[in-house]
Amino acid sequence: MRKQILILCLAIQAAALAQNDKLTLSNGDYLEGEIKGMNRGVLKIETDYSDSDFAVEWEGIASITTRTFFLVSLSNGNRHSGTLTTLNDQKVEITSSEGNSILVDAQEIVFMESVNRDFWSKINASIDFGWDLTKANTLRQASLRSNIGYQAERWAINTHYNAFASNQDSVERVSRDDARIGFRYYFQKRWFGGVSTTFLSNTEQKLRLRTNAQLGAGTYLLHTNQAYWSVSLGLSYNSEHYVTSSDDRESMEGVIDTELNLFDTGDLSLRIKVTAYPGLTQSGRWRSDFNTDVKYDLPKDFYIKIGLTLNYDNQPVAGASDTDYVFATGFGWEL
């Protein structure tokens, strides 16, 4: 009886091992477990001998064999689903559930998502804080930056909220708040479309609330495991409410947007985003937004971030500045 139980346990263990995904790293190390997915050049795998997932750079993987089915996106925008196996010539074979297969170069794979991933594993989030205190005039500054997103294979939702406030003796309080919620759908090749709504309030431009609803489409000029660069065009409806209600405005604008993200630079990552809004119903008016962030990753998913946000309006209301900017540093954590 004991012998039968032992044989059964060994058979169960062997079956469990057979279901595991396997990685061989370029330094000869070997990992076995459940691959959660890969994005921005980093693959995550859960093992039985670790209390947290391993994060492995895609370039550091010599071979991969999966029992899990993945939705796979390539750098040319094509998408496939199936299991993955590295062949001797460094090609990766993607085999569908019907038995059909396709060979691709490993570096062509820029995104993998497990078909069986649960809701929480598709969420990404981060939050960071900054605080400054100066004795002179009791200057106090605080900043908050946060975002949360949900990434599926064909679509994504992202939202963020940022706040900045400054108080100083004998000086009027300065504040700035901005938020955004957006939806993006990925078509074949490198094309995508999306809708979004942004909100902005800042005292420098006497703006109580700007609500901007956008609709547009774009493409990736570059999409690899080291970086991506996208451009898009669209239309927006702009509604502005100022401190003086007689200055309130509504208008239609064009949208020209480009974003560059470099994330394979060691522990550093760089993001630059520029958006221009040429006026359509307000002749001669145009606005622009510039955002850049430099992030340095720390252990345990902590990070340090330095960011600059600049807004420009060539036709500000009376008494308001045409430019508003925030330079912020923060310490944060990401999921």
Side-chain angles (χ1 to χ4, degrees):
M1 182 66 178
R2 291 181 180 178
K3 183 177 180 179
Q4 292 173 330
I5 294 175
L6 178 60
I7 293 174
L8 178 61
C9 292
L10 290 174
I12 293 174
Q13 183 179 12
L17 290 174
Q19 296 301 314
N20 284 352
D21 304 318
K22 301 174 184 178
L23 296 178
T24 302
L25 308 185
S26 55
N27 62 3
D29 289 345
Y30 177 82
L31 291 175
E32 187 172 307
E34 180 186 357
I35 295 175
K36 299 298 188 64
M38 188 276 286
N39 193 20
R40 296 188 177 184
V42 177
L43 180 144
K44 292 189 176 181
I45 180 172
E46 179 185 10
T47 67
D48 294 334
Y49 42 84
S50 174
D51 58 359
S52 60
D53 296 342
F54 283 100
V56 184
E57 291 188 1
W58 184 250
E59 285 192 342
I61 298 174
S63 68
I64 180 173
T65 302
T66 75
R67 298 293 180 266
T68 306
F69 274 77
F70 288 92
L71 299 171
V72 180
S73 296
L74 306 181
S75 57
N76 62 8
N78 290 335
R79 292 175 170 84
H80 305 277
S81 62
T83 60
L84 285 76
T85 304
T86 301
L87 304 182
N88 293 331
D89 57 358
Q90 300 303 311
K91 295 281 188 177
V92 176
E93 183 179 43
I94 304 173
T95 305
S96 69
S97 58
E98 293 82 14
N100 302 318
S101 63
I102 181 174
L103 291 180
V104 301
D105 290 327
Q107 290 307 309
E108 290 185 76
I109 300 175
V110 297
F111 178 80
M112 291 168 49
E113 180 185 30
S114 169
V115 175
N116 298 320
R117 285 179 67 194
D118 60 23
F119 173 83
W120 293 106
S121 64
K122 298 179 182 180
I123 290 180
N124 59 85
S126 68
I127 185 169
D128 55 82
F129 299 92
W131 171 259
D132 297 296
L133 176 63
T134 305
K135 181 179 180 181
N137 297 325
T138 319
L139 174 63
R140 302 176 302 279
Q141 294 180 334
S143 63
L144 163 69
R145 306 182 73 189
S146 62
N147 77 81
I148 184 170
Y150 183 89
Q151 177 70 61
E153 196 270 340
R154 284 282 185 180
W155 56 272
I157 294 177
N158 186 270
T159 181
H160 76 242
Y161 173 72
N162 303 321
F164 173 84
S166 175
N167 289 288
Q168 188 174 1
D169 291 348
S170 304
V171 176
E172 185 178 355
R173 182 177 183 271
V174 175
S175 66
R176 172 195 169 91
D177 299 88
D178 70 87
R180 178 183 185 275
I181 181 169
F183 172 85
R184 177 174 288 186
Y185 185 85
Y186 301 98
F187 300 105
Q188 286 296 330
K189 302 298 181 180
R190 296 183 176 186
W191 292 93
F192 59 83
V195 295
S196 66
T197 303
T198 61
F199 307 91
L200 173 66
S201 171
N202 72 65
T203 54
E204 181 70 12
Q205 294 178 308
K206 300 185 181 300
L207 189 61
R208 289 197 295 117
L209 180 64
R210 172 185 289 145
T211 303
N212 191 273
Q214 301 179 20
L215 172 67
T219 186
Y220 287 101
L221 301 179
L222 174 70
H223 195 177
T224 70
N225 286 313
Q226 292 78 39
Y228 72 76
W229 178 23
S230 66
V231 295
S232 61
L233 299 173
L235 295 172
S236 74
Y237 167 74
N238 189 37
S239 175
E240 298 168 320
H241 297 275
Y242 290 90
V243 174
T244 303
S245 59
S246 59
D247 294 324
D248 292 353
R249 296 185 280 195
E250 293 185 357
S251 62
M252 292 295 298
E253 300 173 321
V255 181
I256 306 170
D257 179 274
T258 183
E259 180 177 355
L260 174 65
N261 199 317
L262 306 175
F263 41 80
D264 188 24
T265 53
D267 292 325
L268 279 173
S269 60
L270 171 66
R271 174 181 173 270
I272 301 173
K273 181 179 175 67
V274 181
T275 308
Y277 302 92
L280 299 179
T281 57
Q282 284 187 299
S283 177
R285 187 189 184 194
W286 68 276
R287 303 184 300 107
S288 63
D289 296 333
F290 173 82
N291 303 91
T292 183
D293 291 302
V294 178
K295 189 180 71 164
Y296 182 78
D297 292 325
L298 301 172
K300 303 296 184 181
D301 295 324
F302 290 99
Y303 63 85
I304 298 172
K305 182 184 286 185
I306 300 174
L308 172 65
T309 300
L310 185 147
N311 304 104
Y312 175 78
D313 185 348
N314 75 328
Q315 293 183 5
V317 297
S321 172
D322 60 0
T323 303
D324 179 48
Y325 69 88
V326 173
F327 180 79
T329 61
F331 174 78
W333 176 84
E334 62 184 342
L335 174 65

